[in-house]
Amino acid sequence: MKTVCEWCSSENVEHISGSVYWELPDGTRAIEISETPTFSCPDCSMIYQSEAIVKEIEDQLFLIDCKKIDKVITFENLMEIPRLLKRNYFDFS
């Protein structure tokens, strides 16, 4: 299945990796998550993460001890941090 841009519906979307900046669930600080799977659309100049990646990051940050995260972490390293709970029991979607 071909990926289309979520903003302009172009089929010219490229899969890249990039940095995103995320506020921790407790609101104490923000971190940089490098090498995050990202889409780039040259037609409308949008650079964005899929809803699935956003949910994966939010769930992981909600389920780990965020005090152990430095200011910068790679996406892969973030996802490897052991969770305190098996899943997000507050996600009713």
Side-chain angles (χ1 to χ4, degrees):
M1 183 174 174
K2 186 110 174 131
T3 304
V4 296
C5 177
E6 292 180 15
W7 297 90
C8 73
S9 301
S10 169
E11 293 184 359
N12 254 351
V13 178
E14 300 171 8
H15 294 265
I16 62 171
S17 64
S19 289
V20 295
Y21 300 88
W22 225 271
E23 183 178 351
L24 297 180
D26 64 5
T28 56
R29 63 191 173 105
I31 60 170
E32 177 183 348
I33 306 169
S34 62
E35 300 176 29
T36 303
T38 301
F39 292 110
S40 175
C41 178
D43 293 338
C44 70
S45 301
M46 288 301 295
I47 298 174
Y48 62 94
Q49 291 70 45
S50 68
E51 290 295 324
I53 292 295
V54 170
K55 181 167 178 19
E56 199 173 339
I57 291 170
E58 288 179 349
D59 283 349
Q60 184 70 352
L61 289 174
F62 189 71
L63 297 171
I64 63 173
D65 182 1
C66 291
K67 293 179 180 104
K68 296 180 179 178
I69 301 174
D70 289 328
K71 291 180 181 182
V72 179
I73 189 169
T74 66
F75 177 80
E76 185 177 326
N77 287 342
L78 175 65
M79 293 304 139
E80 290 175 351
I81 296 174
R83 293 179 169 191
L84 301 173
L85 297 171
K86 290 182 183 179
R87 66 181 196 91
N88 184 351
Y89 295 99
F90 299 100
D91 181 6
F92 301 107
S93 59

